[in-house]
Amino acid sequence: MNVDGGVGWLSVEHCSMLLKPSLLSHQSNFRFSRETRIFWARNSTNSYMAPPILSLALPSDTGRVLSIQSHTVQGYVGNKSAVFPLQLLGYDVDPINSVQFSNHTGKPRYPTFKGQVLNGQELWELIEGLEGNELLFYTHLLTGYIGSESFLNTVLQVVNKLRSINPELIYVCDPVMGDEGKLYVPQELVSVYREKVVPVASMLTPNQFEAELLTGFRIQSEAQGREACRLLHAAGPSKVIITSINIDGNLLLIGSHQKEKGEPPRQFKIVIPKIPAYFTGTGDLMTALLLGWSNKYRDNLEIAAELAVSSLQALLHRTLSDYKNAGHDSQSTSLEIRLIQSQDDIRNPEVNFKAEIYS
């Protein structure tokens, strides 16, 4: 044991003290693997005790999220775009990076850059490590870009594992497959999403192209967008938000909440003004905002969508303004979002975009 100035590291194999069960409201005890090193603090009586995992012992009022998405060292996409906003909204977030790129720019959203890819076995080993240390209690699972069928099938195992621990787990799935008629992922992932993922999702946030892939028909009108939502409800999720639909040159968000199976869903739309620029990470950010606000307004998905859209639009306008102030042609390349500079718009958005409820 190394102790210096009242604190030190103590390997678990040399200690017998465990976290008191009373500290964990939903678990009977707490174990660490023999390889785990615990940070110990000396109390006033010069004895040593392991600090509790506060996100478990004193969870936030909003929830604890496991986010499995891509990640970039530079820029904001995937977990880099989703984790920080959720934390600003009061969530504890544990990220697992399915892919780690050096950077991200241009179209499509997920080009091949220098990076590392996590495989399904490695993902499961991380989950086993969390389970072994009794850290696997989550209120929400969030998934975004996943690049292989084997990894996606392992995510399904993760869903089952998390729900065996917390049956009330909310699974928010952004089925990232493509945009504007082009796939970003291998073709075989489409059937996995359609047949296996959609049935276990609590909330689904596809774009127009992804909704078409999942339902099997073209969406060329608001009525078809609403019908796509109803078909997805029938397959599983109670909340569906098609985040962007281009109809006759107009950009819409169409949301749908089926509170009880068999009942007609409450549906709405939000008209979104087009911005003449292409931004990276906006889909990942939008899904994170929808998760964050929909958990605060569980019975009012339209309010959650208004807050999410208003946050995102304020952030995009700030991004566009900053690029122009820097003398950059905003239409020449994709733009990295100004996430850090838009904290106030994420925490306390001014609602400038209202939902229109369909009768």
Side-chain angles (χ1 to χ4, degrees), residues 107-125:
K107 284 190 176 184
R109 272 203 298 174
Y110 296 94
T112 302
F113 288 118
K114 295 289 185 179
Q116 299 174 335
V117 179
L118 198 69
N119 62 41
Q121 179 60 35
E122 290 167 328
L123 169 62
W124 192 247
E125 288 173 359

Side-chain angles (χ1 to χ4, degrees), residues 130-142:
L130 290 168
E131 183 183 25
N133 289 329
E134 296 198 9
L135 298 170
L136 209 54
F137 185 90
Y138 291 96
T139 59
H140 295 76
L141 172 66
L142 171 62

